[in-house]
Amino acid sequence: HDLWLRYHALTTAPAGIDTRQAVQLVAGPGSPTAKAASGELIRGLGGLLGKAPELSGAVSRDGALIVGTPASSPVVAGLHLDTRELGREGYLIKSVVVNGHTATAIVGNDDIGVLYGSFRFLRLLQTGHPATGLDLRDRPQVKLRVLDHWDNLDGSVERGYAGASIWDWWKLPDYLDPRYTDYARANASIGINGTVLNNVNADPLVLTPAYLKKVAALAGVFRPWGIRVYLSARFSAPIEIGGLKTADPLDPAVRKWWRDKADEIYRVIPDFGGFLVKANSEGQPGPQDYHRTHADGANMLADALAPHGGIVMWRAFVYSEHDLDDRTKQAYNEFKPLDGQFRDNVLLQVKNGPLDFQPREPFSPLFGAMPKTPLMMEFQITKEYLGFATHLVYLGPMWEEVLRADTYAKGKGSTVAKVVDGQLDGHALTGIAGVANIGTDRDWSGSVFDQANWYAFGRLAWDPTQSARAIADDWARMTFAPDDAVAKPIVGMMMASREAAVDYMTPLGLAHLMGAGHHYGPAPWDDSLPRADWNPVYYHRADKNGIGFDRTRKGSDAVDQYAPPVAAEFNNLKSTPDAYLLWFHHLPWDYRMRSGHTLWDALVMHYTHGVDEVKQMRATWATLDGRVDAQRYAQTAAFLAIQQHEAQWWRDASIAYWQSLNHLPLPAGYAPPA
Ligand code: GCU
C-alpha cells in the first residue's frame, strides 16, 4: 500500500553517496511544505540507504543534500543558481561543491517546487540512477493537474473498482484519517495539484455548511502538499439547498445565491480551487432547462468565483436521446459555436474521445476547434470500459496516442498536447483531469498494476510529451525493483496490454459493445436499454452484409468536425488507419484489408491476437515468480488468469454474435468459439 513510494533498501548504493555514514541534509525549518519535503527525504533515504539523513546547518562532508529556496536558505542563496525559468512549481537538481565537499542541491523558487524536486531526487535513486553529475531542471507544462473523484457522499464510488470512497464524511472534520496524508503524498510525488472530491453527478449537500467544514478539513491536510480542493457543483443547488424557485443563471437571485455561496466557501477554504460541473448531460440539471446556453451557466459560476481566484471546469460531455444526430457529434455541435463566449476563468473539460472512454477512440474533434477557450483534457483512470480492476491494461499508451494526435488546427504539428498545454492558442490557464481509480482497497487502486495508471496520469499531466514507456519503466522500478531483470519484462507486459484489450474487446475501431449499464464483458447484441444511444447495436450497425458506423460525408459526416486534413484522412477509406476503420466506415464483411485478408478474417485475427497477448502476459509474469514478493505475485497471477478467461469470453461471444448475422466460417486455423 506504499504505492510507488516503497523506498525499499537498494542493493547497490548509488554513486556519490557514502552509505557508511548518514547523509547530511541541509534544510532549514520553514513552511509545512518545506517540512513535507525534508520529511519525505528522511523517510525515503532512510528506506533506500538504510540510514536516515541527519539534519545539519552546513555541509561538512561529501554527499550532502542542500534543499530549499534562495529566499529561505542562505546556503541555497550562496550557490547563486539561476532559478528564473523554474516558475513557482519547478525545481532544479544540481551536483555542486560546497566547502570543498560534493553535494546535491534541490532548489525551487517556492517550497512546492522544492517538494517536487525532492520527490524527483528520490525517484532518481529508486530507479537506480547515481547521485553524481546531476544537472536537471523541470517545471510542469500544465497548470491544473487534477484528479476527479466520482465519489458519492454515501461512500460509494461511481465506476469505482477499488472499494469505497476514501473520504470518510461520517468522521470528518474531527477525525483525519492518516490515509488522507498518504493520498496527498502520493499525488504530490507525481505533481498532481488538485482534487475534485465528489462525483460529477453531484449531490448538492456537499455545498451545505456542515459538509464545507469537512471539505475544509481535507483541504487543510492537502495544502502542504500543494493540492487544492475543488467540488462538483449541482446546477440546481439554489433550488435544492437554497430554497429558490429557479436555478436560471440569468436570474439575479440565483446569481446572488452563487456569489454568497462562493464567499462562504472561501471563508472556510481560502485557497478553494473552484467548481466542476456536469450540466444538461445524462439527466443532470443545467442552464438549458431555462433555455440558456452552457456559456450562460458557466459564466454565472465563474463570476461568483472570480473575486476569489477560483475557476470553473465545465464539462463538454453532453449528448441527448432527443438529438437524432450521431452521438459522437453532439458535444462539438453544442460547444463549438460558444467559442469566445466563456469568461477567462472557465475551462471546458473534454473527454479524450468524442464518445466515452472507450479502449480506443479518435481524439475529440473539439481539440483544436475552440481556440478562444482553454480546453482541459479529461482522461479516465478508472477502467470503466477496460475490464475494471482485474484486467491488466496500462493506459499510458492510450493517453500518449491521444496527446500526440495531430489536430492540424494550425497546420501540421498542432498536437492535442499543444492544445491542452496552451501552446497552440496561447492560453495560460490549462489543465488535465483524470477520473480517479482510488478507493479503500489496501492497494488503493484495485490492483497493483492499476496503480501504474494513477502514476502515469500524474506524470503525463505534468508533461504531456513524456513517453508512456519511460513512465512505465520508472513505475516498474519504483514499484518492484530497480533492476532490468524485473523491470524489463514488466514494462513489456504493460506496453502490450492496451492493444491487447482493444483487440479482444473492440478491434478495428469498434466501440461501446460492453454489457449495458455495468460496461463489463461483451454484449454486442444488446438493444435492451431505453435509449438507443446507450445500446451496443447503435454503435456497430452490423447485419448480414457488413459492419461499422459510417461517419464519412456519406454517413453522419462526423469527419467534417475535424480540420480539413484530418477530415480528408478519415473520410477516405484508403487513408483511414485500420485502428479507426469501423469507427468511420461501414464495410461489407468481405472488404479487402491492406493485409489482403477480408475484413471478417481480420476481425477474427484481431480477437485471437488479443487473447494470445494475454496468454503471453501470463507467461511473462510466471517468469517473475520469486523475483516479486509473494503477495503481489499471486494477486497479479490470479488477475491475469481472470483476464485470459475473459479475453476468450470476449472473443468467443463477439465472434459467435457476428456469425449469427453473417454466417461466415472462421479463417483456416482459427478455432471456433469454445
Ligand atoms: C459515463 C459513465 C457515467 C458517468 C458519465 C460522465 O457515461 O458511464 O457513470 O457519469 O460517463 O462522464 O458523466
Side-chain angles (χ1 to χ4, degrees):
H1 55 275
D2 291 329
L3 296 160
W4 47 89
L5 303 175
R6 287 167 73 81
Y7 303 136
H8 274 206
L10 295 168
T11 47
T12 38
I17 293 181
D18 178 357
T19 49
R20 286 167 307 180
Q21 46 186 353
V23 167
Q24 283 191 321
L25 177 59
V26 182
S31 72
T33 302
K35 289 201 183 75
S38 17
E40 195 67 26
L41 287 166
I42 291 169
R43 174 187 197 135
L45 295 177
L48 291 164
L49 309 176
K51 223 179 245 135
E54 246 168 43
L55 280 168
S56 168
V59 177
S60 62
R61 35 176 208 264
D62 280 352
L65 276 181
I66 303 165
V67 177
T69 66
S72 67
S73 156
V75 185
V76 169
L79 298 172
H80 303 291
L81 297 164
D82 183 358
T83 61
R84 278 169 304 178
E85 302 287 301
L86 301 179
R88 197 182 77 86
E89 296 183 306
Y91 57 82
L92 64 82
I93 302 179
K94 193 168 167 56
S95 299
V96 293
V97 174
V98 178
N99 305 333
H101 297 287
T102 60
T104 305
I106 304 175
V107 174
N109 287 318
D110 186 284
D111 289 334
I112 188 62
V114 177
L115 177 64
Y116 290 147
S118 302
F119 277 115
R120 177 68 179 273
F121 178 68
L122 289 167
R123 188 213 299 170
L124 289 172
L125 301 190
Q126 284 174 285
T127 53
H129 285 82
T132 54
L134 294 171
D135 188 8
L136 65 88
R137 294 165 172 265
D138 202 5
R139 58 178 293 177
Q141 302 305 308
V142 174
K143 189 165 176 203
L144 309 176
R145 307 175 298 276
V146 181
L147 283 181
D148 290 355
H149 287 265
W150 285 0
D151 293 22
N152 298 314
L153 301 185
D154 67 1
S156 61
V157 180
E158 181 155 331
R159 310 303 179 184
Y161 316 107
S165 170
I166 56 171
W167 318 133
D168 192 346
W169 296 111
W170 191 253
K171 301 195 192 77
L172 282 165
D174 300 313
Y175 175 65
L176 297 172
D177 193 317
R179 247 176 197 272
Y180 303 148
T181 309
D182 292 339
Y183 166 87
R185 279 180 58 230
N187 280 323
S189 78
I190 48 178
I192 287 170
N193 67 0
T195 175
V196 183
L197 300 177
N198 62 316
N199 192 356
V200 287
N201 296 316
D203 187 329
L205 273 188
V206 79
L207 299 175
T208 57
Y211 272 96
L212 290 176
K213 262 193 218 149
K214 299 169 193 275
V215 173
L218 288 172
V221 176
F222 302 157
R223 192 167 292 120
W225 303 90
I227 297 167
R228 288 184 176 210
V229 298
Y230 300 75
L231 292 173
S232 292
R234 184 168 161 90
F235 201 78
S236 53
I239 302 174
E240 288 139 355
I241 60 167
L244 301 188
K245 292 263 175 324
T246 173
D248 181 346
L250 300 192
D251 184 293
V254 173
R255 300 179 70 83
K256 176 171 176 355
W257 188 86
W258 282 109
R259 272 200 312 274
D260 291 348
K261 184 50 74 182
D263 295 347
E264 179 191 343
I265 294 173
Y266 281 91
R267 271 197 297 278
V268 287
I269 312 164
D271 56 353
F272 179 67
F275 294 135
L276 171 64
V277 187
K278 172 176 178 175
N280 294 118
S281 165
E282 299 183 331
Q284 293 299 312
Q288 293 179 331
D289 302 347
Y290 308 95
H291 308 288
R292 312 295 185 195
T293 68
H294 281 280
D296 293 330
N299 291 344
M300 170 193 61
L301 295 175
D303 289 343
L305 295 164
H308 308 283
I311 57 109
V312 174
M313 301 173 282
W314 191 268
R315 296 180 83 228
F317 180 66
V318 301
Y319 65 101
S320 156
E321 75 270 38
H322 306 300
D323 188 336
L324 294 181
D325 204 355
D326 174 359
R327 170 172 159 187
T328 67
K329 292 174 63 185
Q330 294 183 26
Y332 178 103
N333 291 345
E334 191 72 51
F335 283 97
K336 159 95 179 152
L338 300 177
D339 191 25
Q341 295 186 27
F342 292 98
R343 297 282 190 271
D344 288 346
N345 58 332
V346 175
L347 296 113
L348 193 63
Q349 185 166 307
V350 181
K351 289 188 183 182
N352 57 270
L355 183 51
D356 191 12
F357 298 137
Q358 296 303 298
R360 172 170 278 126
E361 296 182 41
F363 67 91
S364 165
L366 279 167
F367 292 109
M370 296 184 63
K372 297 187 190 125
T373 312
L375 296 196
M376 189 165 177
M377 174 62 77
E378 181 175 323
F379 286 134
Q380 193 182 47
I381 309 169
T382 188
K383 304 204 312 301
E384 173 181 355
Y385 294 96
L386 284 134
F388 296 7
T390 41
H391 292 210
L392 194 168
V393 184
Y394 171 53
L395 300 174
M398 172 161 103
W399 298 334
E400 179 186 74
E401 180 177 291
V402 174
L403 290 164
R404 292 185 180 180
D406 199 339
T407 70
Y408 280 87
K410 291 193 172 164
K412 193 167 163 51
S414 308
T415 59
V416 171
K418 285 189 189 160
V419 174
V420 171
D421 74 13
Q423 270 184 67
L424 196 68
D425 304 304
H427 293 295
L429 181 59
T430 57
I432 298 195
V435 180
N437 65 349
I438 296 161
T440 51
D441 276 9
R442 292 187 69 185
D443 62 24
W444 292 90
S445 299
S447 81
V448 174
F449 277 87
D450 277 311
Q451 297 170 1
N453 291 325
W454 175 7
Y455 181 83
F457 167 76
R459 293 283 305 275
L460 281 169
W462 176 280
D463 178 359
T465 65
Q466 280 188 84
S467 109
R469 176 178 291 274
I471 294 170
D473 193 78
D474 282 343
W475 177 81
R477 286 170 201 274
M478 294 164 85
T479 302
F480 292 105
D483 86 70
D484 284 359
V486 174
K488 286 211 163 138
I490 288 178
V491 172
M493 290 168 61
M494 291 168 76
M495 291 307 291
S497 62
R498 185 274 186 138
E499 202 61 40
V502 169
D503 271 346
Y504 65 72
M505 290 182 179
T506 48
L508 294 176
L510 290 172
H512 217 300
L513 307 184
M514 295 76 188
H518 52 73
H519 299 157
Y520 193 85
W525 49 82
D526 199 0
D527 61 356
S528 65
L529 283 169
R531 285 176 60 162
D533 55 5
W534 282 348
N535 283 308
V537 296
Y538 172 94
Y539 295 97
H540 62 67
R541 314 215 154 184
D543 61 17
K544 67 176 190 317
N545 300 316
I547 183 170
F549 199 130
D550 185 354
R551 295 190 166 101
T552 68
R553 290 176 190 138
K554 296 194 285 14
S556 78
D557 195 20
V559 294
D560 276 314
Q561 292 187 337
Y562 291 98
V566 182
E569 179 190 353
F570 293 152
N571 188 59
N572 182 346
L573 187 50
K574 291 282 167 283
S575 53
T576 304
D578 283 359
Y580 304 125
L581 194 65
L582 301 176
W583 181 279
F584 288 113
H585 301 275
H586 183 86
L587 297 171
W589 294 106
D590 62 1
Y591 170 74
R592 277 286 152 204
M593 306 282 294
R594 287 184 193 89
S595 63
H597 298 293
T598 65
L599 169 60
W600 168 240
D601 286 359
L603 205 53
V604 173
M605 290 170 187
H606 274 277
Y607 284 121
T608 308
H609 175 259
V611 178
D612 289 345
E613 200 64 64
V614 178
K615 286 184 196 155
Q616 184 55 51
M617 281 157 61
R618 261 184 104 181
T620 305
W621 188 250
T623 67
L624 294 169
D625 194 1
R627 289 181 179 271
V628 168
D629 55 279
Q631 206 185 342
R632 290 187 298 171
Y633 178 80
Q635 185 207 56
T636 304
F639 285 3
L640 284 167
I642 295 173
Q643 186 175 5
Q644 186 186 328
H645 181 76
E646 295 184 344
Q648 189 76 43
W649 169 38
W650 263 100
R651 173 200 181 271
D652 290 353
S654 305
I655 289 177
Y657 172 63
W658 306 133
Q659 281 187 307
S660 78
L661 303 174
N662 67 15
H663 305 289
L664 289 169
L666 293 177
Y670 284 80

